[in-house]
Amino acid sequence: NPVDGNALGFIAAGHNKTTRLGKLVKDKFMVREFVLPEIKPFDLLDALNSKSAGKVLHHANRLFAADYNALALYSLLCGHFTLLKQVKDREKFSAQQISRELKEHEFRIKKAMVANRYWSKEQISGALKQLSDLGRLIRTWQYDEQMLIQMCLIKLNLQS
C-alpha cells in the first residue's frame, strides 16, 4: 500500500499544472486527507461467528499489523465467548430481561443472540476451555502470542 498511515494529497485546480516536491501551486489547490480504512476488532468476532477461517485470519492479521495488542485481542475473545455462554443459558428470555440481569448493554445482548445461532452449548464450552489453555500458554512467555492466538482462532473455526 503506497499510503502509510495518513497522508496529505494536494490536488491542483488548474488543468495543466503539475507539482513536484518543493514547488507550490500558486492558483487554487485543495487538500484532501487519505486515511486507511478503520480496523475494527468486532469484524473479527463477526467473521468468527460465521466460521469463515479465511476472513478470521485476514482480520487477525490486519489487527496485528496495526499493532493491536495480542492480550487485548485475547481478552476480547474471552469476553465474547463468556457473554455467548451467559446469553445461551438464558435464551428463553427477551434481550431486555437478559441485559438487565447481566447488566450489559442491550445491543451487545442482541448481537450475542444472533451469534448464538452459530454455536451450540458444547462448542461454546469447548471454546472457553481452549481460551483458558491459550491463556496458560500466553502466561508462560515461551511462545509468540500472535501465533498462539492465530492457532486458537483456527481451532475455533474447525469446531463442528
Side-chain angles (χ1 to χ4, degrees):
N1 192 355
V3 178
D4 192 27
N6 293 348
L8 292 178
F10 295 96
I11 301 169
H15 292 292
N16 295 325
K17 298 192 178 168
T18 59
T19 61
R20 291 182 183 215
L21 281 171
K23 287 189 175 182
L24 180 65
V25 176
K26 291 189 177 188
D27 288 343
K28 302 174 190 173
F29 66 90
M30 174 178 67
V31 178
R32 182 182 303 157
E33 187 176 6
F34 299 106
V35 181
L36 291 175
E38 187 180 357
I39 300 170
K40 301 176 209 160
F42 301 107
D43 292 340
L44 173 71
L45 295 180
D46 291 339
L48 187 62
N49 290 331
S50 65
K51 299 197 179 178
S52 172
K55 285 183 182 179
V56 168
L57 289 177
H58 172 74
H59 287 299
N61 289 334
R62 284 184 63 206
L63 287 168
F64 290 139
D67 290 333
Y68 196 81
N69 190 335
L71 294 176
L73 187 58
Y74 169 72
S75 176
L76 180 75
L77 291 169
C78 288
H80 177 66
F81 281 101
T82 302
L83 183 65
L84 287 183
K85 181 172 177 20
Q86 291 172 335
V87 171
K88 191 73 147 179
D89 292 340
R90 295 165 177 84
E91 61 187 354
K92 296 175 185 165
F93 302 108
S94 71
Q96 285 181 331
Q97 290 172 317
I98 296 172
S99 68
R100 264 188 262 120
E101 187 177 330
L102 296 178
K103 296 182 179 152
E104 291 285 346
H105 195 277
E106 190 175 339
F107 179 76
R108 279 194 78 201
I109 301 299
K110 287 180 180 178
K111 290 286 277 186
M113 290 175 112
V114 171
N116 270 332
R117 296 180 194 155
Y118 303 102
W119 300 93
S120 68
K121 282 187 177 185
E122 296 79 24
Q123 289 173 325
I124 293 172
S125 297
L128 287 170
K129 181 175 179 345
Q130 284 183 24
L131 287 168
S132 70
D133 294 342
L134 174 64
R136 212 170 298 111
L137 285 173
I138 286 175
R139 284 190 294 274
T140 64
W141 297 91
Q142 293 178 345
Y143 305 100
D144 181 45
E145 297 162 345
Q146 293 180 4
M147 178 200 65
L148 289 172
I149 289 175
Q150 288 172 336
M151 287 173 38
C152 183
L153 289 170
I154 291 170
K155 287 179 188 177
L156 290 173
N157 267 292
L158 295 177
Q159 283 186 352
S160 57

